Amino acid sequence: MNHRVHPPDWRPDSWQAKPAAQQPVYPEPTALARVLQELRRPPPLVSSYEIESLRSQLAEAACGRRFLLQGGDCSETFADCQSAIIAAKLKILLQMSLVLTHDTRRPVIRVGRFAGQYAKPRSAEHETRDGLTLPVYRGDLVNRPDFDPAQRRPDPELLLRGYERAALTLNFIRALIDGGFADLHHPENWTLSFACAQPVAEAYRQRVAAVQEAVSFVETLTHAPIPQLQRVDFFTSHEALHLLYEEALTRQVPRRTGWYNLGTHFPWIGNRTRQIDGAHVEYCRGIRNPIAVKIGPPLSPAELVALCERLDPEREPGRLTLITRFGADAVTRELPPLVDALQRQEHRVLWVCDPMHGNTETTPSGFKTRRFERILLELEQTCQILHEAGLPLAGVHFELSGEDVTECLGGACGLSEADLTRDYRSPVDPRLNYEQSLEMALHLARLLRPNPATRVSLAGTSPTGAQPGSLGPQTPNL
Ligand code: PEP
Ligand code: CO
Protein backbone atom coordinates (compact mmCIF):
# COMPACT_ATOMS: atom_id res chain seq x y z
CA MET A 1 0.00 0.00 0.00
CA ASN A 2 1.24 3.45 -0.81
CA HIS A 3 1.67 5.84 2.07
CA ARG A 4 2.08 9.09 0.23
CA VAL A 5 1.10 11.87 2.60
CA HIS A 6 0.08 14.79 0.40
CA PRO A 7 1.96 17.33 -1.71
CA PRO A 8 4.01 19.58 0.62
CA ASP A 9 2.26 22.75 -0.54
CA TRP A 10 -1.25 21.29 -0.16
CA ARG A 11 -3.78 21.73 2.64
CA PRO A 12 -7.51 20.91 2.68
CA ASP A 13 -8.09 24.65 2.22
CA SER A 14 -5.25 25.48 -0.21
CA TRP A 15 -7.86 25.51 -3.01
CA GLN A 16 -9.16 28.79 -1.54
CA ALA A 17 -6.21 30.65 -3.08
CA LYS A 18 -7.22 29.47 -6.58
CA PRO A 19 -10.03 30.56 -8.88
CA ALA A 20 -13.06 28.45 -7.92
CA ALA A 21 -15.69 28.09 -10.64
CA GLN A 22 -19.33 27.24 -9.92
CA GLN A 23 -19.38 28.24 -6.24
CA PRO A 24 -22.53 29.83 -4.80
CA VAL A 25 -22.37 33.29 -3.28
CA TYR A 26 -23.92 33.19 0.20
CA PRO A 27 -25.54 36.45 1.28
CA GLU A 28 -24.86 35.75 4.99
CA PRO A 29 -21.20 34.80 5.55
CA THR A 30 -21.55 34.43 9.31
CA ALA A 31 -24.35 31.88 8.95
CA LEU A 32 -22.21 30.03 6.42
CA ALA A 33 -19.21 29.98 8.78
CA ARG A 34 -21.37 28.60 11.60
CA VAL A 35 -22.74 25.82 9.41
CA LEU A 36 -19.29 24.84 8.17
CA GLN A 37 -18.11 24.62 11.75
CA GLU A 38 -21.06 22.39 12.54
CA LEU A 39 -20.38 20.16 9.52
CA ARG A 40 -16.90 19.39 10.79
CA ARG A 41 -18.19 17.73 13.96
CA PRO A 42 -20.38 14.71 13.10
CA PRO A 43 -18.83 11.36 12.17
CA PRO A 44 -17.95 10.81 8.55
CA LEU A 45 -20.13 8.98 6.03
CA VAL A 46 -17.54 6.51 4.82
CA SER A 47 -14.31 5.05 6.17
CA SER A 48 -10.74 5.16 4.95
CA TYR A 49 -10.76 1.34 4.86
CA GLU A 50 -13.55 1.33 2.33
CA ILE A 51 -11.78 3.99 0.29
CA GLU A 52 -8.54 2.01 0.22
CA SER A 53 -10.45 -1.13 -0.76
CA LEU A 54 -12.13 0.75 -3.61
CA ARG A 55 -8.78 2.05 -4.78
CA SER A 56 -7.28 -1.41 -5.00
CA GLN A 57 -10.34 -2.68 -6.87
CA LEU A 58 -10.05 0.21 -9.30
CA ALA A 59 -6.41 -0.67 -9.89
CA GLU A 60 -7.60 -4.09 -11.08
CA ALA A 61 -10.22 -2.47 -13.31
CA ALA A 62 -7.47 -0.42 -14.97
CA CYS A 63 -5.93 -3.72 -16.13
CA GLY A 64 -9.24 -5.20 -17.26
CA ARG A 65 -9.61 -7.60 -14.33
CA ARG A 66 -12.68 -5.83 -12.94
CA PHE A 67 -15.28 -3.48 -14.37
CA LEU A 68 -16.61 -0.25 -12.91
CA LEU A 69 -20.35 0.34 -13.09
CA GLN A 70 -21.14 3.87 -11.91
CA GLY A 71 -24.65 5.22 -12.15
CA GLY A 72 -27.49 7.15 -10.64
CA ASP A 73 -29.32 10.43 -10.90
CA CYS A 74 -27.88 13.49 -12.60
CA SER A 75 -28.91 15.32 -9.48
CA GLU A 76 -30.31 13.71 -6.35
CA THR A 77 -33.04 15.67 -4.64
CA PHE A 78 -33.87 15.75 -0.94
CA ALA A 79 -37.47 14.83 -1.78
CA ASP A 80 -36.29 11.58 -3.39
CA CYS A 81 -34.62 10.41 -0.19
CA GLN A 82 -37.28 7.68 0.17
CA SER A 83 -36.97 3.96 0.69
CA ALA A 84 -38.67 2.86 -2.54
CA ILE A 85 -36.63 5.21 -4.72
CA ILE A 86 -33.34 4.28 -3.09
CA ALA A 87 -34.12 0.55 -3.26
CA ALA A 88 -35.03 0.86 -6.95
CA LYS A 89 -31.63 2.42 -7.67
CA LEU A 90 -29.88 -0.45 -5.91
CA LYS A 91 -31.99 -2.99 -7.76
CA ILE A 92 -31.20 -1.70 -11.22
CA LEU A 93 -27.48 -1.47 -10.44
CA LEU A 94 -27.56 -5.04 -9.08
CA GLN A 95 -29.40 -6.30 -12.15
CA MET A 96 -26.97 -4.58 -14.49
CA SER A 97 -24.01 -5.94 -12.60
CA LEU A 98 -25.45 -9.47 -12.67
CA VAL A 99 -25.67 -9.25 -16.46
CA LEU A 100 -22.18 -7.80 -16.78
CA THR A 101 -20.56 -10.29 -14.41
CA HIS A 102 -22.33 -13.24 -15.97
CA ASP A 103 -21.53 -12.34 -19.56
CA THR A 104 -18.00 -10.99 -19.14
CA ARG A 105 -16.75 -13.04 -16.18
CA ARG A 106 -15.34 -9.86 -14.70
CA PRO A 107 -16.31 -8.84 -11.16
CA VAL A 108 -18.16 -5.54 -11.17
CA ILE A 109 -17.37 -2.62 -8.86
CA ARG A 110 -20.70 -0.95 -8.11
CA VAL A 111 -20.56 2.79 -7.50
CA GLY A 112 -23.72 4.84 -7.10
CA ARG A 113 -24.05 8.47 -8.05
CA PHE A 114 -25.81 8.76 -4.74
CA ALA A 115 -25.65 9.74 -1.08
CA GLY A 116 -24.32 13.23 -1.85
CA GLN A 117 -24.94 14.08 -5.52
CA TYR A 118 -26.75 17.29 -4.57
CA ALA A 119 -24.75 20.11 -6.23
CA LYS A 120 -24.84 20.94 -9.92
CA PRO A 121 -22.67 23.05 -12.22
CA ARG A 122 -24.73 25.45 -14.32
CA SER A 123 -24.08 27.34 -17.55
CA ALA A 124 -25.09 30.75 -16.12
CA GLU A 125 -24.98 32.44 -12.71
CA HIS A 126 -28.43 33.96 -13.06
CA GLU A 127 -31.75 33.32 -14.70
CA THR A 128 -34.18 36.02 -15.84
CA ARG A 129 -37.92 35.53 -16.23
CA ASP A 130 -40.38 38.35 -16.98
CA GLY A 131 -37.82 40.98 -16.03
CA LEU A 132 -36.92 39.30 -12.70
CA THR A 133 -33.30 38.08 -12.35
CA LEU A 134 -32.48 35.46 -9.70
CA PRO A 135 -29.55 33.14 -8.95
CA VAL A 136 -29.78 29.84 -10.87
CA TYR A 137 -30.80 26.66 -9.09
CA ARG A 138 -27.53 24.89 -8.20
CA GLY A 139 -28.93 21.72 -6.66
CA ASP A 140 -30.60 20.98 -3.32
CA LEU A 141 -27.31 21.43 -1.47
CA VAL A 142 -27.36 25.13 -2.36
CA ASN A 143 -30.85 26.49 -3.01
CA ARG A 144 -34.35 25.49 -4.12
CA PRO A 145 -35.68 25.21 -7.68
CA ASP A 146 -38.81 27.42 -7.45
CA PHE A 147 -38.39 30.73 -9.25
CA ASP A 148 -38.82 32.88 -6.18
CA PRO A 149 -36.26 35.20 -4.53
CA ALA A 150 -36.42 33.45 -1.15
CA GLN A 151 -36.18 29.97 -2.67
CA ARG A 152 -33.25 30.79 -4.93
CA ARG A 153 -31.15 32.48 -2.24
CA PRO A 154 -28.22 30.18 -1.36
CA ASP A 155 -29.01 28.84 2.11
CA PRO A 156 -26.11 27.38 4.15
CA GLU A 157 -28.51 25.27 6.26
CA LEU A 158 -28.99 23.13 3.15
CA LEU A 159 -25.40 21.93 3.53
CA LEU A 160 -26.42 20.29 6.80
CA ARG A 161 -29.61 18.93 5.28
CA GLY A 162 -27.56 17.48 2.40
CA TYR A 163 -25.11 15.82 4.75
CA GLU A 164 -28.01 14.33 6.71
CA ARG A 165 -29.83 13.10 3.59
CA ALA A 166 -26.59 11.52 2.38
CA ALA A 167 -26.24 9.80 5.77
CA LEU A 168 -29.85 8.57 5.68
CA THR A 169 -29.43 7.25 2.16
CA LEU A 170 -26.22 5.47 2.98
CA ASN A 171 -27.62 4.07 6.21
CA PHE A 172 -30.50 2.50 4.33
CA ILE A 173 -28.22 1.11 1.62
CA ARG A 174 -25.90 -0.41 4.20
CA ALA A 175 -28.84 -1.92 6.08
CA LEU A 176 -30.27 -3.45 2.92
CA ILE A 177 -26.93 -4.92 1.90
CA ASP A 178 -26.15 -6.25 5.38
CA GLY A 179 -29.62 -7.70 5.61
CA GLY A 180 -29.08 -9.82 2.50
CA PHE A 181 -30.82 -7.67 -0.13
CA ALA A 182 -27.97 -8.21 -2.60
CA ASP A 183 -27.74 -11.95 -1.90
CA LEU A 184 -27.02 -13.73 -5.16
CA HIS A 185 -29.12 -16.66 -3.92
CA HIS A 186 -32.14 -14.41 -4.25
CA PRO A 187 -31.92 -12.19 -7.30
CA GLU A 188 -35.73 -12.19 -7.35
CA ASN A 189 -35.45 -9.56 -4.57
CA TRP A 190 -34.26 -7.11 -7.20
CA THR A 191 -37.13 -7.50 -9.58
CA LEU A 192 -38.80 -4.18 -10.23
CA SER A 193 -42.51 -3.93 -10.60
CA PHE A 194 -42.46 -2.40 -14.08
CA ALA A 195 -43.10 -4.32 -17.26
CA CYS A 196 -40.12 -4.80 -19.52
CA ALA A 197 -40.03 -5.42 -23.29
CA GLN A 198 -40.06 -9.16 -23.92
CA PRO A 199 -36.51 -9.56 -25.34
CA VAL A 200 -35.00 -7.62 -22.46
CA ALA A 201 -37.01 -9.46 -19.83
CA GLU A 202 -36.21 -12.82 -21.39
CA ALA A 203 -32.50 -12.10 -21.73
CA TYR A 204 -32.35 -11.07 -18.08
CA ARG A 205 -34.38 -14.09 -16.94
CA GLN A 206 -31.95 -16.42 -18.72
CA ARG A 207 -28.99 -14.89 -16.93
CA VAL A 208 -30.66 -15.11 -13.54
CA ALA A 209 -31.43 -18.77 -14.19
CA ALA A 210 -27.84 -19.46 -15.29
CA VAL A 211 -26.42 -17.75 -12.20
CA GLN A 212 -28.80 -19.59 -9.87
CA GLU A 213 -27.89 -22.89 -11.46
CA ALA A 214 -24.17 -22.17 -11.12
CA VAL A 215 -24.56 -21.21 -7.46
CA SER A 216 -26.59 -24.31 -6.69
CA PHE A 217 -24.08 -26.53 -8.56
CA VAL A 218 -21.09 -25.21 -6.60
CA GLU A 219 -22.95 -25.35 -3.28
CA THR A 220 -23.95 -28.93 -3.99
CA LEU A 221 -20.34 -29.83 -4.67
CA THR A 222 -19.04 -28.11 -1.56
CA HIS A 223 -21.99 -29.18 0.66
CA ALA A 224 -22.14 -25.62 2.00
CA PRO A 225 -23.65 -22.27 1.14
CA ILE A 226 -21.14 -19.75 -0.18
CA PRO A 227 -21.33 -16.88 2.31
CA GLN A 228 -19.47 -14.48 0.00
CA LEU A 229 -22.50 -14.48 -2.28
CA GLN A 230 -24.70 -12.99 0.42
CA ARG A 231 -23.38 -9.48 0.27
CA VAL A 232 -21.68 -7.17 -2.19
CA ASP A 233 -19.84 -3.91 -1.90
CA PHE A 234 -21.55 -0.69 -2.89
CA PHE A 235 -19.58 2.51 -3.08
CA THR A 236 -20.76 6.10 -3.29
CA SER A 237 -19.64 8.94 -5.53
CA HIS A 238 -20.57 12.51 -6.31
CA GLU A 239 -19.18 15.51 -8.11
CA ALA A 240 -16.78 17.34 -5.77
CA LEU A 241 -18.22 20.68 -6.78
CA HIS A 242 -19.09 22.62 -3.64
CA LEU A 243 -15.62 22.94 -2.21
CA LEU A 244 -16.50 24.36 1.21
CA TYR A 245 -18.70 21.32 1.78
CA GLU A 246 -16.00 18.93 0.56
CA GLU A 247 -13.37 20.62 2.70
CA ALA A 248 -15.52 20.29 5.82
CA LEU A 249 -15.70 16.53 5.23
CA THR A 250 -11.97 16.17 4.63
CA ARG A 251 -10.43 14.47 7.63
CA GLN A 252 -7.36 12.72 8.97
CA VAL A 253 -7.77 9.28 10.49
CA PRO A 254 -5.76 7.44 13.15
CA ARG A 255 -2.95 5.19 11.94
CA ARG A 256 -3.06 6.48 8.38
CA THR A 257 -1.21 9.28 6.74
CA GLY A 258 -2.80 11.94 4.56
CA TRP A 259 -6.26 13.43 4.28
CA TYR A 260 -9.39 11.64 3.13
CA ASN A 261 -12.65 13.04 1.85
CA LEU A 262 -14.92 11.00 4.11
CA GLY A 263 -18.13 12.36 2.60
CA THR A 264 -17.90 9.92 -0.30
CA HIS A 265 -15.70 7.09 -1.52
CA PHE A 266 -15.09 8.36 -5.01
CA PRO A 267 -15.35 12.09 -5.75
CA TRP A 268 -15.07 13.36 -9.30
CA ILE A 269 -14.15 16.66 -10.92
CA GLY A 270 -16.72 17.82 -13.47
CA ASN A 271 -15.91 18.77 -17.03
CA ARG A 272 -16.58 22.43 -16.27
CA THR A 273 -14.27 22.63 -13.28
CA ARG A 274 -11.23 20.69 -14.46
CA GLN A 275 -9.02 23.78 -15.08
CA ILE A 276 -5.49 22.79 -14.21
CA ASP A 277 -4.88 25.90 -12.10
CA GLY A 278 -8.38 25.94 -10.69
CA ALA A 279 -9.60 25.25 -7.18
CA HIS A 280 -11.20 21.84 -7.89
CA VAL A 281 -8.01 20.31 -9.23
CA GLU A 282 -6.11 21.86 -6.34
CA TYR A 283 -8.48 20.34 -3.77
CA CYS A 284 -8.55 16.88 -5.35
CA ARG A 285 -4.81 16.55 -5.92
CA GLY A 286 -4.17 16.33 -2.18
CA ILE A 287 -6.83 13.90 -0.94
CA ARG A 288 -6.16 10.18 -0.65
CA ASN A 289 -9.41 9.03 -2.29
CA PRO A 290 -9.33 7.64 -5.78
CA ILE A 291 -10.53 10.47 -7.99
CA ALA A 292 -12.13 10.80 -11.38
CA VAL A 293 -12.18 13.64 -13.89
CA LYS A 294 -14.85 14.10 -16.54
CA ILE A 295 -13.23 15.00 -19.84
CA GLY A 296 -14.93 16.41 -22.92
CA PRO A 297 -14.06 18.78 -25.73
CA PRO A 298 -12.12 21.00 -26.05
CA LEU A 299 -9.13 19.26 -24.50
CA SER A 300 -5.65 18.99 -26.00
CA PRO A 301 -3.33 16.02 -25.35
CA ALA A 302 -0.84 18.35 -23.65
CA GLU A 303 -3.54 19.67 -21.32
CA LEU A 304 -4.63 16.15 -20.41
CA VAL A 305 -1.07 15.02 -19.73
CA ALA A 306 -0.56 18.04 -17.46
CA LEU A 307 -3.83 17.32 -15.65
CA CYS A 308 -2.86 13.71 -15.01
CA GLU A 309 0.59 14.77 -13.80
CA ARG A 310 -1.04 17.16 -11.36
CA LEU A 311 -3.58 14.68 -10.04
CA ASP A 312 -1.50 11.52 -10.09
CA PRO A 313 2.18 12.45 -10.18
CA GLU A 314 3.20 9.14 -8.61
CA ARG A 315 1.09 7.05 -11.00
CA GLU A 316 -0.55 5.12 -8.20
CA PRO A 317 -2.60 2.17 -9.43
CA GLY A 318 -6.31 2.97 -9.15
CA ARG A 319 -5.75 6.61 -8.21
CA LEU A 320 -7.03 8.29 -11.37
CA THR A 321 -10.05 7.63 -13.55
CA LEU A 322 -10.83 9.56 -16.71
CA ILE A 323 -14.51 9.62 -17.57
CA THR A 324 -14.84 10.45 -21.27
CA ARG A 325 -17.94 12.30 -22.47
CA PHE A 326 -17.31 13.50 -25.99
CA GLY A 327 -20.56 12.63 -27.72
CA ALA A 328 -21.08 10.16 -30.55
CA ASP A 329 -20.23 12.85 -33.13
CA ALA A 330 -16.84 13.79 -31.68
CA VAL A 331 -15.44 10.77 -29.88
CA THR A 332 -13.69 9.13 -32.83
CA ARG A 333 -11.92 12.41 -33.59
CA GLU A 334 -11.14 13.57 -30.05
CA LEU A 335 -10.36 10.47 -28.02
CA PRO A 336 -7.57 8.64 -29.93
CA PRO A 337 -4.93 11.42 -29.60
CA LEU A 338 -5.65 11.68 -25.87
CA VAL A 339 -5.31 7.94 -25.33
CA ASP A 340 -2.12 7.97 -27.35
CA ALA A 341 -0.62 10.88 -25.39
CA LEU A 342 -1.19 9.18 -22.04
CA GLN A 343 0.19 5.89 -23.28
CA ARG A 344 3.38 7.65 -24.33
CA GLN A 345 3.70 8.91 -20.77
CA GLU A 346 3.00 5.41 -19.46
CA HIS A 347 0.18 6.85 -17.42
CA ARG A 348 -2.07 3.95 -16.48
CA VAL A 349 -5.45 5.52 -15.75
CA LEU A 350 -8.90 3.91 -15.85
CA TRP A 351 -10.70 4.80 -19.07
CA VAL A 352 -14.39 5.01 -18.29
CA CYS A 353 -17.10 6.06 -20.74
CA ASP A 354 -19.94 8.41 -19.86
CA PRO A 355 -21.99 8.15 -23.04
CA MET A 356 -24.70 10.45 -21.66
CA HIS A 357 -23.38 14.00 -21.36
CA GLY A 358 -22.06 14.44 -24.91
CA ASN A 359 -25.36 13.28 -26.40
CA THR A 360 -27.87 15.66 -24.90
CA GLU A 361 -30.34 17.42 -27.19
CA THR A 362 -33.50 19.46 -26.84
CA THR A 363 -36.68 18.38 -28.61
CA PRO A 364 -38.79 20.93 -30.55
CA SER A 365 -41.21 20.88 -27.62
CA GLY A 366 -38.41 21.89 -25.23
CA PHE A 367 -37.52 18.60 -23.46
CA LYS A 368 -33.86 17.92 -22.74
CA THR A 369 -33.34 14.33 -23.87
CA ARG A 370 -30.88 11.71 -25.08
CA ARG A 371 -31.34 8.95 -27.64
CA PHE A 372 -30.66 5.35 -26.69
CA GLU A 373 -28.93 4.65 -30.00
CA ARG A 374 -26.59 7.64 -29.71
CA ILE A 375 -25.64 6.57 -26.18
CA LEU A 376 -24.96 3.05 -27.37
CA LEU A 377 -23.02 4.33 -30.38
CA GLU A 378 -20.65 6.34 -28.19
CA LEU A 379 -20.12 3.29 -25.99
CA GLU A 380 -19.28 1.16 -29.01
CA GLN A 381 -16.96 3.74 -30.47
CA THR A 382 -15.14 4.23 -27.18
CA CYS A 383 -14.73 0.48 -26.72
CA GLN A 384 -13.33 0.19 -30.21
CA ILE A 385 -10.87 3.09 -29.80
CA LEU A 386 -9.53 1.65 -26.57
CA HIS A 387 -9.39 -1.84 -28.02
CA GLU A 388 -7.29 -0.58 -30.92
CA ALA A 389 -4.93 1.03 -28.42
CA GLY A 390 -4.64 -2.29 -26.55
CA LEU A 391 -6.51 -0.97 -23.52
CA PRO A 392 -9.62 -2.23 -21.75
CA LEU A 393 -12.72 -0.14 -21.23
CA ALA A 394 -12.46 -0.04 -17.44
CA GLY A 395 -16.00 1.05 -16.75
CA VAL A 396 -19.09 3.04 -17.60
CA HIS A 397 -20.85 6.02 -16.06
CA PHE A 398 -24.59 6.38 -16.65
CA GLU A 399 -27.31 8.72 -15.56
CA LEU A 400 -30.08 6.29 -14.79
CA SER A 401 -33.11 5.74 -12.66
CA GLY A 402 -34.62 2.61 -11.14
CA GLU A 403 -38.03 4.10 -11.95
CA ASP A 404 -40.16 3.90 -15.06
CA VAL A 405 -39.42 7.51 -16.04
CA THR A 406 -39.70 8.83 -19.61
CA GLU A 407 -36.67 11.03 -20.14
CA CYS A 408 -34.47 9.35 -22.80
CA LEU A 409 -35.75 8.31 -26.24
CA GLY A 410 -35.63 4.87 -27.86
CA GLY A 411 -34.58 1.44 -26.66
CA ALA A 412 -36.58 -1.73 -27.01
CA CYS A 413 -39.55 0.02 -25.42
CA GLY A 414 -39.47 2.48 -28.35
CA LEU A 415 -39.93 5.53 -26.16
CA SER A 416 -40.97 8.41 -28.42
CA GLU A 417 -41.03 12.19 -28.13
CA ALA A 418 -44.71 12.04 -27.33
CA ASP A 419 -43.92 9.75 -24.36
CA LEU A 420 -41.62 12.33 -22.75
CA THR A 421 -44.61 14.15 -21.29
CA ARG A 422 -45.76 11.01 -19.42
CA ASP A 423 -43.25 10.89 -16.57
CA TYR A 424 -40.36 13.28 -16.99
CA ARG A 425 -39.04 13.89 -13.47
CA SER A 426 -35.36 14.84 -13.62
CA PRO A 427 -34.79 18.46 -12.57
CA VAL A 428 -31.57 18.52 -14.59
CA ASP A 429 -30.42 15.86 -17.11
CA PRO A 430 -32.48 13.02 -18.62
CA ARG A 431 -31.83 9.50 -17.29
CA LEU A 432 -32.17 6.04 -18.78
CA ASN A 433 -35.17 4.42 -17.17
CA TYR A 434 -35.13 1.00 -15.56
CA GLU A 435 -35.74 -0.92 -18.74
CA GLN A 436 -33.40 1.15 -20.92
CA SER A 437 -30.67 0.67 -18.32
CA LEU A 438 -31.05 -3.09 -18.28
CA GLU A 439 -31.10 -3.20 -22.07
CA MET A 440 -27.97 -1.05 -22.16
CA ALA A 441 -26.24 -3.49 -19.79
CA LEU A 442 -27.07 -6.36 -22.15
CA HIS A 443 -25.55 -4.48 -25.07
CA LEU A 444 -22.54 -3.49 -23.02
CA ALA A 445 -21.97 -7.08 -21.91
CA ARG A 446 -21.76 -8.06 -25.57
CA LEU A 447 -19.25 -5.30 -26.29
CA LEU A 448 -17.08 -6.47 -23.41
CA ARG A 449 -17.01 -10.15 -24.19
CA PRO A 450 -13.50 -11.46 -24.66
CA ASN A 451 -14.25 -12.90 -28.11
CA PRO A 452 -13.81 -10.12 -30.73
CA ALA A 453 -16.26 -11.78 -33.10
CA THR A 454 -19.09 -11.24 -30.66
CA ARG A 455 -17.74 -7.98 -29.28
CA VAL A 456 -17.68 -5.80 -32.40
CA SER A 457 -20.89 -7.24 -33.69
CA LEU A 458 -22.88 -4.12 -34.31
CA ALA A 459 -20.82 -2.64 -37.14
CA GLY A 460 -22.54 -2.99 -40.45
CA THR A 461 -26.10 -3.25 -39.17
CA SER A 462 -27.70 0.10 -38.46
CA PRO A 463 -25.43 2.88 -37.16
CA THR A 464 -25.83 1.27 -33.80
CA GLY A 465 -27.44 -2.06 -34.38
CA ALA A 466 -30.01 -1.11 -31.76
CA GLN A 467 -33.07 -2.38 -33.54
CA PRO A 468 -36.32 -1.37 -31.94
CA GLY A 469 -37.76 -4.29 -30.06
CA SER A 470 -34.67 -6.45 -30.25
CA LEU A 471 -31.20 -6.55 -28.86
CA GLY A 472 -29.53 -6.74 -32.24
CA PRO A 473 -29.35 -9.73 -34.58
CA GLN A 474 -25.89 -10.84 -33.54
CA THR A 475 -26.43 -10.78 -29.82
CA PRO A 476 -25.86 -14.38 -28.81
CA ASN A 477 -27.57 -16.22 -25.99
CA LEU A 478 -30.70 -14.10 -25.94
C1 PEP B 1 -22.86 15.43 -14.63
O1 PEP B 1 -22.21 14.37 -14.48
O2 PEP B 1 -24.04 15.57 -14.27
C2 PEP B 1 -22.21 16.56 -15.33
C3 PEP B 1 -22.54 17.81 -15.10
O3 PEP B 1 -21.31 16.11 -16.21
P1 PEP B 1 -20.10 16.83 -16.93
O4 PEP B 1 -19.22 17.40 -15.84
O5 PEP B 1 -19.44 15.71 -17.66
O6 PEP B 1 -20.65 17.87 -17.84
CO1 CO C 1 -25.86 15.29 -15.67
Side-chain angles (χ1 to χ4, degrees):
M1 190 188 302
N2 191 300
H3 288 280
R4 183 173 72 99
V5 184
H6 55 76
D9 52 346
W10 182 92
R11 295 279 310 157
D13 64 356
S14 56
W15 64 269
Q16 296 197 20
K18 306 272 183 180
Q22 300 283 345
Q23 303 305 291
V25 179
Y26 287 92
E28 294 171 44
T30 47
L32 174 65
R34 181 184 47 74
V35 162
L36 292 173
Q37 206 44 43
E38 209 170 312
L39 259 183
R40 290 187 150 81
R41 277 198 295 267
L45 301 177
V46 304
S47 75
S48 62
Y49 296 93
E50 295 167 331
I51 291 172
E52 291 295 339
S53 158
L54 172 63
R55 197 229 306 269
S56 55
Q57 293 186 33
L58 291 173
E60 291 183 30
C63 318
R65 291 202 299 273
R66 286 182 188 262
F67 190 76
L68 170 69
L69 173 64
Q70 187 174 19
D73 299 315
C74 177
S75 177
E76 282 182 289
T77 62
F78 293 174
D80 277 356
C81 184
Q82 295 177 26
S83 56
I85 295 176
I86 297 167
K89 267 183 244 181
L90 283 197
K91 286 178 182 180
I92 185 60
L93 288 171
L94 284 166
Q95 292 195 347
M96 292 171 81
S97 65
L98 180 138
V99 167
L100 292 170
T101 310
H102 172 268
D103 287 21
T104 69
R105 303 292 190 260
R106 272 197 246 175
V108 171
I109 310 166
R110 299 162 204 84
V111 177
R113 274 178 74 116
F114 53 45
Q117 176 55 14
Y118 295 123
K120 294 306 298 174
R122 304 310 306 263
S123 46
E125 296 271 312
H126 292 96
E127 187 181 341
T128 301
R129 289 190 206 168
D130 300 329
L132 177 63
T133 298
L134 295 177
V136 285
Y137 169 61
R138 289 185 179 276
D140 281 9
L141 195 65
V142 174
N143 56 2
R144 300 174 181 86
D146 293 349
F147 195 74
D148 171 272
Q151 303 294 311
R152 286 291 178 91
R153 187 178 308 124
D155 176 358
E157 287 292 324
L158 297 176
L159 298 170
L160 291 168
R161 300 295 85 77
Y163 168 82
E164 291 155 4
R165 290 294 194 292
L168 292 172
T169 304
L170 200 46
N171 181 56
F172 185 52
I173 290 169
R174 290 188 193 281
L176 284 175
I177 302 288
D178 289 344
F181 181 77
D183 190 339
L184 212 42
H185 298 90
H186 298 290
E188 69 278 6
N189 285 348
W190 320 334
T191 306
L192 287 140
S193 53
F194 319 111
C196 220
Q198 201 274 336
V200 178
E202 179 54 22
Y204 179 65
R205 198 198 55 74
Q206 284 181 13
R207 280 151 180 86
V208 170
V211 168
Q212 284 183 314
E213 208 167 297
V215 169
S216 135
F217 176 67
V218 175
E219 291 188 342
T220 307
L221 282 186
T222 57
H223 299 290
I226 308 170
Q228 290 90 327
L229 299 180
Q230 286 165 5
R231 71 180 309 289
V232 298
D233 287 337
F234 251 101
F235 297 100
T236 64
S237 67
H238 67 246
E239 180 172 349
L241 183 68
H242 193 304
L243 291 176
L244 288 171
Y245 178 82
E246 304 302 334
E247 183 193 321
L249 294 170
T250 304
R251 313 272 171 87
Q252 285 178 301
V253 295
R255 291 179 297 284
R256 282 194 201 275
T257 52
W259 293 79
Y260 288 83
N261 182 323
L262 297 182
T264 189
H265 299 109
F266 193 18
W268 79 81
I269 302 175
N271 188 45
R272 294 178 204 213
T273 50
R274 60 171 167 74
Q275 300 78 14
I276 184 134
D277 291 318
H280 294 80
V281 169
E282 173 60 21
Y283 168 74
C284 284
R285 86 184 166 103
I287 54 173
R288 296 286 300 133
N289 306 55
I291 49 179
V293 191
K294 294 279 215 93
I295 55 169
L299 176 62
S300 70
E303 244 181 300
L304 181 62
V305 167
L307 192 58
C308 294
E309 273 306 321
R310 182 69 56 91
L311 291 169
D312 182 25
E314 295 175 30
R315 290 164 164 67
E316 289 178 75
R319 158 73 173 170
L320 186 58
T321 295
L322 298 178
I323 305 175
T324 63
R325 32 88 79 225
F326 288 94
D329 289 333
V331 67
T332 50
R333 186 182 64 241
E334 302 280 338
L335 185 56
L338 299 174
V339 171
D340 185 52
L342 281 198
Q343 280 202 301
R344 282 171 201 276
Q345 302 293 317
E346 294 179 14
H347 219 132
R348 190 81 202 211
V349 298
L350 281 84
W351 289 98
V352 167
C353 179
D354 164 1
M356 310 297 290
H357 284 88
N359 295 307
T360 313
E361 56 185 276
T362 305
T363 65
S365 49
F367 281 101
K368 215 175 170 190
T369 192
R370 292 158 173 161
R371 291 173 195 274
F372 188 92
E373 71 262 28
R374 304 292 293 166
I375 297 168
L376 180 55
L377 181 58
E378 183 168 353
L379 262 184
E380 290 169 10
Q381 289 168 323
T382 305
C383 252
Q384 187 63 18
I385 291 164
L386 292 171
H387 179 65
E388 279 164 15
L391 294 170
L393 176 70
V396 282
H397 183 115
F398 289 117
E399 285 184 345
L400 53 79
S401 160
E403 310 286 305
D404 191 20
V405 296
T406 58
E407 298 171 4
C408 289
L409 299 171
C413 54
L415 213 115
S416 71
E417 272 187 51
D419 294 320
L420 295 181
T421 51
R422 202 171 68 231
D423 199 0
Y424 195 109
R425 291 189 219 167
S426 172
V428 198
D429 288 341
R431 301 160 295 176
L432 294 172
N433 66 19
Y434 153 67
E435 179 182 353
Q436 290 167 327
S437 303
L438 191 53
E439 186 181 357
M440 193 60 77
L442 289 158
H443 280 289
L444 176 62
R446 178 173 37 74
L447 293 174
L448 294 172
R449 278 192 196 123
N451 176 357
T454 57
R455 184 179 52 242
V456 193
S457 63
L458 297 179
T461 54
S462 71
T464 68
Q467 323 247 319
S470 89
L471 288 167
Q474 288 135 50
T475 305
N477 305 329
L478 295 182

